[in-house]
Each structure stands twice: as structure tokens, then as C-alpha cells.
Amino acid sequence: MANTTASKLNEIPRGAVGRGGVLDVAARLFREQGYGSVSLRKIAAAAGIKAGSIYYHFGSKDEIVAGVLDAGIQVVHESMRQAVSALPEGTDAEAILRAAIGAHLRALLDVSDYSSANVRIFGQVPQSVRDANLPMRRAYEAEWDNLLSRLQADGALKSDVDIRRLRLMLIGALNATLEWFDPHRGSAEALSRTYADVFLNGILERQET
């Protein structure tokens, strides 16, 4: 789903916002304000519709949240999958991992309110909503696990690296950038290069012996 900016929302005639428009507005509000601060009334006001109109599309706030969470995972998953699959056959492991890391960060920081909202509010929503989102989350984790396992089997990753722990550390570090990333002080692309450098090359200077 495309990210809808506030300026675009202002151009939508009152009453013309459909299911997708409500989700666009909700994703932006959840990204900016978190789960608890956003009510159905606030979503409706931002979308330029009456609060009761939301019930034409959703039965509750948590149904909206579920839609936002699912879309958030879909966006980042598809971005990462396409970035890797677009690489020519024979691409080395470093280039593959740089493409995957870059795609994740771009989806998170540049492309979609949905992905950003997912990361921000996942731990805030009711357990039943988290449980419903887990299959999509697990599918994305499996995409990373399969990629890392393939590179390890090809000899590109050390044989003693725990793939699950590596994936948890990598995705956790990438998602944490939402807390401090400032687009006025650098681009997501530059940040992805820095993160890839650290993950792939480490931080310590190798001493000649």
C-alpha cells in the first residue's frame, strides 16, 4: 500500500475515503503517536469523515490495527524479497546482504507509514492482535533465515554463526533506527551502507602480527 501524506489527505473529498484511505490515515497516526493515543474518532477526523463512517469498513479499532500491522510486514517483506531476487545470478554474499539491509531500511524509513507503524506499535497492541500478525511476521523472519542459511551453506558465512540469533540481532538493530533516525542529517541509503559495513566487516581494526 502506498504511503499517503497529510497533504494528499487534505485533497480527498469528505466522505470519499474508503477502506484503504482509512488504513493510510491510521498507519500515519500510529507511526506518529503510538497505539494508545489514537482513537477511532481521531482516525475519522484525520480522514475527514464522521466517526460512524469507519464502521462501514471496520468493526473496531483493533481490526484497523490488524490491517496496518499486516500491511507493514507485507511492504518490508516484498521490498527485501524483490531487492534480493533482482540481483544477477552469481552476485556475491556481501552484495546480497547489502541489498537486503538497504531494502529493509528504505521500506522502514523512506517508503511506508505501515512498516514504521508496525515496528512502533507491535508491542503496544493487545495480545490477540499480535498473535494474528505473527504468521506474516514469521514468514518474513523465514525469508531472512533462508537467505542467511543459503549463504552459510555456500561458505560465505562462518559455519559456527547461529542463524536465528544473527537474524534477531540484524532485524532488531535495523528496526531500532526508527527511534532516532533524522532524515535531515542523512539518508536511509547512507545509513544502510554504514550498518552493512559494521555487520559485514566489524568494528575493530585488525592488527598486523
Side-chain angles (χ1 to χ4, degrees):
M1 293 187 182
N3 180 25
T4 303
T5 63
S7 61
K8 289 182 180 178
L9 290 174
N10 291 334
E11 298 172 1
I12 300 175
R14 293 181 66 84
V17 177
R19 180 183 175 89
V22 171
L23 284 174
D24 286 343
V25 173
R28 175 172 58 82
L29 292 177
F30 288 135
R31 174 183 63 81
E32 294 172 350
Q33 302 176 27
Y35 171 78
S37 298
V38 178
S39 64
L40 284 177
R41 187 175 299 277
K42 186 175 287 189
I43 293 171
I49 60 177
K50 295 180 179 180
S53 298
I54 287 181
Y55 290 104
Y56 286 110
H57 308 291
F58 301 95
S60 65
K61 173 183 171 180
D62 284 345
E63 191 175 326
I64 296 176
V65 172
V68 170
L69 291 180
D70 285 351
I73 293 294
Q74 288 174 336
V75 168
V76 72
H77 190 165
E78 188 63 14
S79 176
M80 181 270 206
R81 188 193 64 78
Q82 288 185 357
V84 172
S85 62
L87 296 172
E89 186 175 352
T91 299
D92 63 29
E94 179 172 343
I96 292 172
L97 288 172
R98 285 184 181 277
I101 290 170
H104 184 107
L105 277 180
R106 284 192 300 275
L108 204 63
L109 302 176
D110 283 348
V111 178
S112 175
D113 284 338
Y114 288 89
S115 298
S116 302
N118 184 298
V119 172
R120 176 162 188 184
I121 70 173
F122 183 78
Q124 304 170 7
V125 304
Q127 186 63 49
S128 60
V129 179
R130 291 201 297 271
D131 290 345
N133 183 243
L134 281 178
M136 286 199 172
R137 187 170 289 259
R138 295 289 183 258
Y140 183 50
E141 292 170 349
E143 187 85 40
W144 273 100
D145 287 347
N146 292 337
L147 173 63
L148 295 171
S149 295
R150 176 165 59 84
L151 295 178
Q152 189 175 57
D154 291 342
L157 296 184
K158 294 179 179 179
S159 60
D160 59 349
V161 169
D162 185 300
I163 295 301
R164 178 178 177 275
R165 290 181 178 178
L166 174 59
R167 182 253 300 161
L168 287 169
M169 180 176 65
L170 179 58
I171 294 181
L174 298 178
N175 288 347
T177 60
L178 277 174
E179 299 297 326
W180 55 264
F181 176 72
D182 182 354
H184 299 295
R185 303 183 65 178
S187 67
E189 191 64 38
L191 181 62
S192 75
R193 289 195 297 270
T194 299
Y195 266 54
D197 286 342
V198 170
F199 274 107
L200 299 177
N201 302 317
I203 61 172
L204 296 179
E205 289 285 0
R206 298 188 182 278
Q207 302 297 321
E208 296 293 337
T209 58

